Amino acid sequence: MTERATLTSAELAAKYGLQPMGVRPPLMAYCRDVLQRREFLMVLSQSKVQASNRNTYLGYIWSVLTPLLNSLVYVLIFGVLLGTRDGMSNVIGYIVVGTFMYGFFSGSVNGAAKSIKGNLRLVQSMQFPRVIIPISVVGAEILALVPALVVMFVISQMSVGFVQGWDQLNPERWILIVPALLMLFVFSTGIGLIMAQLASRIPDILNFLPFVIRIGMYASGVIFAIEHQVREGLLLTIMQYQPVAIYLNLGRQAMLSEGGIQPDLAMWGIGLGWAVLTFAVGFIIFWRDEARYGRD
């Protein structure tokens, strides 16, 4: 009798690395599975970027136009008409950096929250770590941000030069935008994983989420300096040190020359802590429901 004939079905499955469908794997095995499928994750992200604007005439250009037009509207309304420029020596650069970075965060969270419901056919037809889907959505957002980042850089530096003087440019800080965006990416992924898990259980979350995102924009100082609009001690501290406000601060440290925003090592440490903690919590929360996705 051959060895294959003497083995049970479970032993054969274990021997050849087969896994049952609809069963949550151990956390470490799950992480390894995600890493092994990193090429699939990248291809999925790239395909989402290509498909996002394929039915429009301008296509990929909208990745730049959308945050640019939002910035223009906010500068006109809040910087010119309402005059909420206290604490901003360069209102154009301040709002542009905030709008571009917050646009990435809001797009990532919104997209990730819808990702499981929006990809049910893929979830139900193939066996792979479901966490790849929301992560690929955030990956697509960061890929779309690359050309927008060039526009943000040009506008912010031109505004510094014309408004504050060309001697106020800080080229030695420009590289800091990379770790600032990397931390925002990790944090946004963690929040996106939490929202994807919640939305898969409670679909009404998707209708409520845009309002939360909008409140978050005002609570993060996207279009105004928090310390000049909020005077109360505890509320001011909460708003300044909540994670999105921190990442906007780090981005402005890199791009601008604002008197109230100077390089702060403690702020970078807090930002890193928020990113790692949020991603770890989000990943575990999402993993715990792995066996349920696509079955509801």
Side-chain angles (χ1 to χ4, degrees), residues 9 20 37 52 66 105 119 129 136 146 185 187 229:
S9 299
R37 287 170 169 78
S52 59
T66 299
F105 169 74
N119 292 273
S136 72
V146 172
F185 168 79
F187 173 78
Q229 300 298 327

Side-chain angles (χ1 to χ4, degrees), residues 112-113 115-116 134 191-201 286 293:
S115 61
I116 298 298
I191 296 295
L193 293 176
I194 294 172
M195 297 312 302
Q197 189 270 351
L198 288 175
S200 70
R201 284 185 172 271
F286 190 92
Y293 300 123

Side-chain angles (χ1 to χ4, degrees), residues 15-232:
K15 178 179 179 179
Y16 292 102
L18 302 180
Q19 296 179 351
M21 294 285 289
V23 176
R24 184 185 70 197
L27 181 58
M28 294 308 298
Y30 190 71
C31 293
R32 288 194 298 270
D33 206 7
V34 173
L35 291 175
Q36 290 171 356
R37 287 170 169 78
R38 56 187 178 275
E39 292 185 9
F40 173 53
L41 193 158
M42 287 300 301
V43 170
L44 202 57
S45 295
Q46 293 167 0
S47 66
K48 290 181 184 299
V49 173
Q50 295 168 358
S52 59
N53 294 303
R54 64 183 177 186
N55 293 324
T56 62
Y57 289 111
L58 296 180
Y60 199 62
I61 297 176
W62 280 110
S63 300
V64 176
L65 279 181
T66 299
L68 185 60
L69 293 174
N70 283 335
S71 299
L72 177 61
V73 170
Y74 294 143
V75 168
L76 288 176
I77 294 178
F78 294 94
V80 178
L81 297 180
L82 298 182
T84 56
R85 60 178 68 190
D86 292 344
M88 295 182 282
S89 54
N90 176 8
V91 64
I92 296 175
Y94 197 99
I95 293 178
V96 165
V97 173
T99 303
F100 274 68
M101 292 186 68
Y102 193 80
F104 164 74
F105 169 74
S106 63
S108 297
V109 174
N110 272 316
K114 302 173 184 176
S115 61
I116 298 298
K117 291 291 184 181
N119 292 273
L120 277 180
R121 289 188 178 181
L122 180 60
V123 171
Q124 293 171 345
S125 61
M126 296 179 63
Q127 178 68 13
F128 64 94
R130 306 310 189 221
V131 75
I132 285 178
I133 294 180
I135 292 179
S136 72
V137 171
V138 186
E141 289 290 332
I142 200 73
L143 290 176
L145 181 65
V146 172
L149 187 61
V150 175
V151 176
M152 183 190 81
F153 173 81
V154 171
I155 294 176
S156 63
Q157 300 314 302
M158 293 289 287
S159 66
V160 170
F162 284 111
V163 175
Q164 299 172 268
W166 296 103
D167 60 325
Q168 295 299 308
L169 294 177
N170 296 298
E172 68 278 3
R173 296 189 198 169
W174 291 346
I175 191 62
L176 293 177
I177 194 64
V178 175
L181 287 175
L182 181 59
M183 284 189 281
L184 179 59
F185 168 79
V186 175
F187 173 78
S188 301
T189 303
I191 296 295
L193 293 176
I194 294 172
M195 297 312 302
Q197 189 270 351
L198 288 175
S200 70
R201 284 185 172 271
I202 311 171
D204 291 347
I205 289 287
L206 297 177
N207 295 322
F208 185 67
L209 184 58
F211 298 100
V212 177
I213 294 293
R214 194 173 305 161
I215 293 172
M217 185 186 75
Y218 294 108
S220 301
V222 173
I223 51 181
F224 58 81
I226 294 174
E227 64 275 11
H228 285 267
Q229 300 298 327
V230 181
R231 303 297 182 182
E232 297 183 20

